[in-house]
Each structure stands twice: as structure tokens, then as C-alpha cells.
């Protein structure tokens, strides 16, 4: 993996802004780290541990993923997603809300799910996923006067979380498989997967990913499957311009893909 480490290091040295990156071969255990312990505002990457908290509560019997919830007028918040454009009273299953939260980064779906499971469940889930240096503080697109803290993450914590989901070490194999399956349906693909071969040209890869962004920040995290190999990739950035950061994310994904294609398994 030394050549990949050097390539990624060179890429990040030239990159604008600050980056926290972890790439891990989930089958072999080798990894690359760059400022892995640095804290970043989480943006929508926080939606992955929220998804895990929902599945944990379902595994505990608090509800089933097929239970339906009604949208309330007070639930509707703007930003990513489309639910805020629809009418209150619409009923969706919890699984459908999770899917919209992940593949469209829907903020309304996210806040409904946060209300469903509560902060304590999210905190406990993050602890169980090994995210001790990360913190959930508040809902999205809502700024209570008594909560000034941001949701925060580190690349190291997110890497542990992704590894737990990809290797089914959190909850049941079925739950982990379903969460990874939802992430594979991601519709926002302008980061890590953006320079990978098109499915028409190459069918040997899949990626289960989730991005997050705001002015000056551009994140993407996921599990890249190439043949029978699995790599977790976490890339968090701040003090960046979107176009340049998205190019770096695409290069990161491409370099890991090419390494997976060309290197021996062990």
C-alpha cells in the first residue's frame, strides 16, 4: 500500500484547505491516515450514524422499519431533499424516510427520524460505533437559541463506523446489509465516485457513500467495493472551494479504485 499512501499524500499536500482522510483496506487491515483525529463540522455525514441509530432502535423492538409516520407542517425544513415541497399528512414508512435521508440528503426526513429515536439513542449508537471523538448536537436547518454547538466528526471515527457497517460488526448482518444497500443507491455522486468508470464501461465496482457540504466544506465518505475487495474512504475538508474540493474527492476515489484493481489481495 506504500505507493497508494505516497500518491494520496502528494494529492493532499497540493490540495486547498484542510483535509482529514482515512482509507482502509477492510479485508487486509492496511490503512492511510491524514489528520485523522482532527474535528470537522459534520454537515450531512451525520446522517449515517442517525440511520444506524434508527436501525438500532428497530432492532430493540421500539418500532418496525415498515411503520408509517405522518409528515407534520412543523417538520418541513428546506435545504437538501424534496419532502419540504410536499403536503403535510403524507405518510411514509420509516425505511422510506431513512432512504430519502441518505440518497437525497433530505433534511425533513432527517429531523423526523431524530424526533423518532431521540438524542440519547443517537449518542449511544455513535458510542457503540466507536465515534467517541464525534458529537451529535442538534437537528438540521433549525438553530435553537440554546444550542450553539455544531454536529462534529473526525475521519478516524467515521472510518470506524463504516468498517462496522461494512463488516456487519454492528447490530445484525441483515441490518448492516440493508444500511449499506441504501447507501449504494446514493444519488449525489459528484465526489468520490465522480471519476470512476461508468457502469456501462466497467461493472466490477460499487460504492455505498454519503456526502455533506456547505460553504467552505466538502465531505464524502463511503465503502468502495471492487471485485471481492472492500475499502472504506473518508474525506473531510474545510476552507475549500467546492469545485476544487470535488476534484480532490474524485481523485481520491479514482486512486483507491486503481489500487484495488492493480494490487494483489494480500
Amino acid at each position: 500500500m506504500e505507493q497508494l499512501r505516497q500518491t494520496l499524500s502528494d494529492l493532499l499536500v497540493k490540495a486547498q484547505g484542510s483535509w482529514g482522510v482515512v482509507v482502509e483496506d477492510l479485508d487486509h487491515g492496511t490503512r492511510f491516515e491524514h489528520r485523522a483525529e482532527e474535528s470537522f463540522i459534520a454537515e450531512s455525514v451525520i446522517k449515517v450514524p442517525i440511520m444506524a441509530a434508527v436501525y438500532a432502535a428497530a432492532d430493540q423492538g421500539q418500532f418496525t422499519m415498515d411503520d408509517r409516520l405522518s409528515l407534520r407542517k412543523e417538520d418541513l425544513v428546506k435545504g437538501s431533499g424534496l419532502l419540504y415541497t410536499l403536503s403535510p399528512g403524507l405518510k411514509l414508512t420509516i425505511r422510506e424516510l431513512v432512504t430519502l435521508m441518505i440518497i437525497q440528503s433530505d433534511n425533513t426526513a432527517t429531523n423526523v427520524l431524530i424526533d423518532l429515536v431521540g438524542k440519547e439513542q443517537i449518542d449511544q449508537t455513535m458510542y457503540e460505533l466507536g465515534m467517541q471523538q464525534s458529537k451529535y448536537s442538534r437537528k438540521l436547518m433549525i438553530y435553537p437559541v440554546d444550542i450553539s454547538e455544531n454536529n462534529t466528526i473526525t475521519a478516524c471515527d467515521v472510518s470506524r463506523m463504516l468498517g462496522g457497517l461494512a463488516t456487519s460488526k454492528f447490530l445484525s448482518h441483515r441490518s448492516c446489509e440493508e444500511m449499506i444497500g441504501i447507501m449504494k443507491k446514493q444519488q449525489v455522486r459528484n465526489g468520490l465516485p465522480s471519476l470512476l468508470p461508468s457502469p456501462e464501461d466497467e461493472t466490477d465496482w460499487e460504492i455505498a457513500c454519503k456526502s455533506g457540504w456547505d460553504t467552505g466544506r466538502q465531505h464524502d465518505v463511503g465503502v468502495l467495493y471492487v471485485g471481492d475487495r472492500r475499502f472504506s474512504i473518508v474525506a473531510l475538508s474545510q476552507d475549500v472551494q467546492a469545485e476544487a474540493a470535488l476534484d480532490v474527492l474524485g481523485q481520491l476515489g479514482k486512486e483507491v479504485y486503481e489500487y484495488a484493481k492493480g494490487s494483489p489481495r494480500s
Side-chain angles (χ1 to χ4, degrees):
M1 201 181 192
E2 192 55 41
Q3 184 176 352
L4 177 63
R5 289 193 183 100
Q6 188 60 55
T7 300
L8 298 184
S9 293
D10 292 345
L11 176 64
L12 294 171
V13 165
K14 297 174 184 176
Q16 174 196 63
S18 299
W19 289 79
V21 175
V22 176
V23 175
E24 181 173 2
D25 183 335
L26 294 175
D27 300 299
H28 193 224
T30 53
R31 59 194 281 127
F32 165 84
E33 293 186 357
H34 176 87
R35 301 174 76 166
E37 307 290 340
E38 184 172 330
S39 182
F40 290 79
I41 295 176
E43 303 303 343
S44 288
V45 175
I46 198 67
K47 293 169 182 176
V48 183
I50 291 171
M51 170 176 67
V54 172
Y55 273 85
D59 273 18
Q60 294 164 13
Q62 297 182 30
F63 47 75
T64 76
M65 297 299 293
D66 294 317
D67 289 347
R68 291 184 177 271
L69 301 176
S70 295
L71 287 184
R72 305 168 300 175
K73 184 177 180 180
E74 58 266 33
D75 293 327
L76 307 180
V77 294
K78 295 185 178 181
S80 302
L82 57 80
L83 286 182
Y84 76 91
T85 68
L86 305 181
S87 301
L90 175 69
K91 291 186 176 182
L92 295 168
T93 68
I94 294 171
R95 182 179 287 103
E96 289 167 343
L97 288 165
V98 169
T99 300
L100 290 171
M101 174 176 71
I102 297 299
I103 73 171
Q104 291 191 346
S105 208
D106 195 290
N107 290 326
T108 294
T110 304
N111 288 349
V112 169
L113 293 169
I114 290 171
D115 284 340
L116 175 67
V117 299
K119 185 178 186 304
E120 184 177 344
Q121 178 72 66
I122 297 170
D123 290 342
Q124 179 63 29
T125 297
M126 291 175 69
Y127 177 82
E128 292 174 3
L129 286 167
M131 302 182 73
Q132 284 90 353
Q133 297 181 72
S134 302
K135 183 178 180 182
Y136 166 77
S137 296
R138 59 175 174 82
K139 294 163 73 173
L140 281 69
M141 301 301 292
I142 295 175
Y143 303 93
V145 294
D146 59 335
I147 301 179
S148 59
E149 297 91 350
N150 288 301
N151 304 319
T152 59
I153 52 176
T154 70
C156 193
D157 278 0
V158 176
S159 180
R160 277 191 288 266
M161 173 188 68
L162 291 175
L165 298 182
T167 60
S168 298
K169 293 179 180 176
F170 176 72
L171 302 178
S172 64
H173 175 75
R174 178 179 178 180
S175 292
C176 287
E177 189 175 56
E178 191 166 310
M179 285 187 275
I180 289 292
I182 290 172
M183 293 177 68
K184 285 181 177 179
K185 297 174 184 176
Q186 179 60 246
Q187 295 182 357
V188 182
R189 300 172 70 86
N190 59 351
L192 291 173
S194 63
L195 298 180
L196 298 183
S198 69
E200 291 77 17
D201 298 330
E202 197 72 63
T203 60
D204 67 340
W205 69 271
E206 288 184 289
I207 191 166
C209 59
K210 181 72 193 80
S211 57
W213 64 91
D214 200 352
T215 304
R217 291 183 288 277
Q218 201 79 44
H219 309 328
D220 207 357
V221 310
V223 180
L224 177 63
Y225 298 81
V226 181
D228 62 352
R229 305 189 68 179
R230 303 173 294 180
F231 293 81
S232 65
I233 310 174
V234 180
L236 314 176
S237 67
Q238 60 189 11
D239 303 321
V240 295
Q241 295 180 342
E243 185 176 355
L246 288 170
D247 182 63
V248 172
L249 289 170
Q251 292 290 338
L252 283 167
K254 180 181 178 183
E255 293 294 347
V256 177
Y257 170 79
E258 291 181 349
Y259 168 77
K261 288 278 288 183
S263 66
R265 183 177 174 87
S266 59

